[in-house]
Amino acid sequence: MIPQLQQIVVDKKWLEEDEMIDCIAISQALPGIIAINAATYIGMKVRGFRGALSATLGVILPSFVIIIAVVTLLDSIGENTYIQGAFIGIKAAVCGLILVTVVRMGKKILRSVFAWILAILSFIAIVGFGINAIWAILAGAIAGIVYNIVKLSGGQDCALHDAPEADKEVDE
Amino acid sequence: MILVYLFTMFFRIGLFGFGGGLAMLPLIFQSVQSFGIMTAEEFSNLVALSQVTPGPMAVNAATYVGFNYAGLPGAMVATLGVCLPAFILMMIVYHFVKKFNDSRIVQGVLGGIRPVTVALIGAAVIFVSETVLAAGPLISKKLLETGFDYFNLIPICIFAVTVILVGKFKMKPIRVMILMGIAGALLCS
């Protein structure tokens, strides 16, 4: 979705290239739906508040309409065994797809002991102990700030120092 | 009352959902489970549907859950709830984007949240596979009792083929989804 967006926006001269890079960075950094963050930013830039509102609506509407259409359709034909079989096939494929995504992301993001510890602890907390994902996200945010401070003031072994910190937060 | 529930539930999902649609899945799963408005089976249907339809996953999810639970008003309220945090936050941050992106605290927060998103997506794999690849939770007593019958053979093959096609041969995900949908219709019906 992002490369597509980038091309349209730069082609239409709504944003400069480096402004667009800023826009994507901030869209990914803020919580919430990335496409909506980006739409709000671009809309705001081009036409102010009304621009932001219409760009956001534009991103939402297709999904909204399509899902309602599909759900309504499935209500009438969903009992069909072929449809149910197709659903099983797609669901199994989705598992594979998400697995590939997580491996790719892991290779990019998990490049330090700190990152690995955080990822493993949150995974265990969520899957093993059924802890709400929101706590894992908050713990990650706090651990990240602490890690940054320790890294600035301390030496190389900081990753080991704030591991217990992350642990404590996740287990809460 | 239901509409208020739906709104607050999805507002919370929108507020804490970092790192894109897949990382939001565990959040959505846990919320709908704790509110008791959706079974694990229905949740995996939703995930499948979101993957074969265009648009942001969280909007698809909100529309689906809201519509199934409270019709058109439900869909509207849930979608509004999930989109509002992103919209409001961006409105606020818009005026100091450069400062925000360069801020040490923001960089620290992101450094901590990114590894967690990997874990979230990992959790999503488990949540979805428990409804398709196996007859329930992957770690359970029933597994020891029933042995290999606990796993669904054909879905596991489809899963493995998908991993190879997308991971190794870099095939486009949407093509693989359609292909596997057809395979499922023929083999699992």
Side-chain angles (χ1 to χ4, degrees), chain A residues 22 31-32 36 91 104 131 133, chain B residues 14-15 17 30 41 45 98 166:
Chain A
D22 273 347
I36 295 199
K91 282 195 261 186
R104 278 185 195 154
I131 284 168
Chain B
L15 190 59
Q30 287 176 332
E41 175 75 29
N45 283 344
K98 263 263 175 298
V166 179

Side-chain angles (χ1 to χ4, degrees), chain B residues 6-186:
Chain B
L6 278 171
F7 181 82
T8 46
M9 182 175 113
F10 275 98
F11 190 86
R12 227 176 45 171
I13 292 169
L15 190 59
F16 288 97
F18 278 93
L22 291 177
M24 281 164 118
L25 279 180
L27 228 70
I28 299 171
F29 178 69
Q30 287 176 332
S31 305
V32 294
Q33 286 250 305
S34 67
F35 277 85
I37 59 175
M38 207 180 208
T39 61
E41 175 75 29
E42 277 178 303
F43 171 76
S44 64
N45 283 344
L46 153 68
V47 178
L49 212 58
S50 302
Q51 286 295 318
V52 288
T53 53
M57 170 126 216
V59 175
N60 291 337
T63 309
Y64 182 94
V65 175
F67 190 71
N68 265 342
Y69 197 60
L72 194 61
M76 288 167 96
V77 163
T79 306
L80 185 70
V82 88
C83 297
L84 218 49
F87 187 77
I88 296 172
L89 284 171
M90 185 51 103
M91 282 295 183
I92 298 169
V93 178
Y94 174 78
H95 301 282
F96 41 96
V97 170
K98 263 263 175 298
K99 246 192 198 158
F100 183 87
N101 275 344
D102 295 339
S103 146
R104 285 217 69 91
I105 291 182
V106 171
Q107 288 310 319
V109 167
L110 287 182
I113 282 180
R114 280 200 194 105
V116 177
T117 40
V118 177
L120 289 172
I121 300 177
V125 178
I126 304 291
F127 289 153
V128 180
S129 60
E130 283 176 349
T131 64
V132 207
L133 306 184
L138 293 182
I139 304 162
S140 83
K141 261 191 231 149
K142 250 173 79 193
L143 170 61
L144 296 174
E145 287 161 14
T146 48
F148 274 115
D149 288 344
Y150 194 68
F151 296 103
N152 305 326
L153 193 62
I154 295 172
I156 287 180
C157 294
I158 291 178
F159 163 79
V161 173
T162 305
V163 171
I164 294 166
L165 286 181
V166 179
K168 191 141 182 70
F169 296 104
K170 316 276 180 241
M171 224 170 125
K172 277 226 166 83
I174 185 68
R175 274 190 209 156
V176 180
M177 294 292 128
I178 293 169
L179 214 62
M180 295 309 160
I182 296 169
L186 297 175

Side-chain angles (χ1 to χ4, degrees), chain A residues 114 118 121-122 125 131-147 162 165-172, chain B residues 16 108-109 111-113 116:
Chain A
F114 169 72
L118 257 185
L121 283 179
S122 358
I131 284 168
N132 197 310
I134 291 174
W135 294 117
I137 292 167
L138 289 176
I142 295 169
I145 296 173
V146 173
Y147 179 69
D162 58 10
E165 166 73 18
D167 190 347
K168 203 174 68 203
E169 292 297 334
V170 170
D171 281 345
E172 250 179 9
Chain B
F16 288 97
V109 167
I113 282 180
V116 177

Side-chain angles (χ1 to χ4, degrees), chain A residues 15-172:
Chain A
L15 261 62
E16 299 288 326
E17 195 104 41
D18 59 330
E19 238 179 341
M20 188 60 202
I21 291 169
D22 273 347
C23 163
I24 291 167
I26 197 168
S27 297
Q28 288 175 328
L30 283 178
I33 302 162
I34 294 171
I36 295 199
N37 286 330
T40 309
Y41 181 90
I42 296 163
M44 196 73 186
K45 199 98 206 169
V46 180
R47 281 285 186 282
F49 182 77
R50 268 188 285 177
L53 208 58
S54 35
T56 303
L57 267 180
V59 170
I60 300 169
L61 220 51
S63 301
F64 189 79
V65 172
I66 289 171
I67 289 290
I68 288 182
V70 173
V71 171
T72 312
L73 188 70
L74 281 178
D75 270 347
S76 53
I77 58 164
E79 298 297 309
N80 182 303
T81 51
Y82 289 105
I83 303 278
Q84 290 188 339
F87 253 97
I88 294 175
I90 293 170
K91 282 195 261 186
V94 166
C95 293
L97 188 68
I98 310 178
L99 184 69
V100 173
T101 309
V102 78
V103 170
R104 278 185 195 154
M105 272 185 73
K107 276 186 191 155
K108 247 194 280 177
I109 293 174
L110 304 181
R111 288 196 159 159
S112 65
V113 180
F114 169 72
W116 269 103
I117 290 174
L118 257 185
I120 290 170
L121 283 179
S122 358
F123 183 79
I124 294 172
I126 296 166
V127 175
F129 295 98
I131 284 168
N132 197 310
I134 291 174
W135 294 117
I137 292 167
L138 289 176
I142 295 169
I145 296 173
V146 173
Y147 179 69
N148 232 3
I149 294 169
V150 176
K151 201 166 64 175
L152 273 184
S153 57
Q156 286 294 314
D157 55 345
C158 45
L160 297 173
H161 280 308
D162 58 10
E165 166 73 18
D167 190 347
K168 203 174 68 203
E169 292 297 334
V170 170
D171 281 345
E172 250 179 9

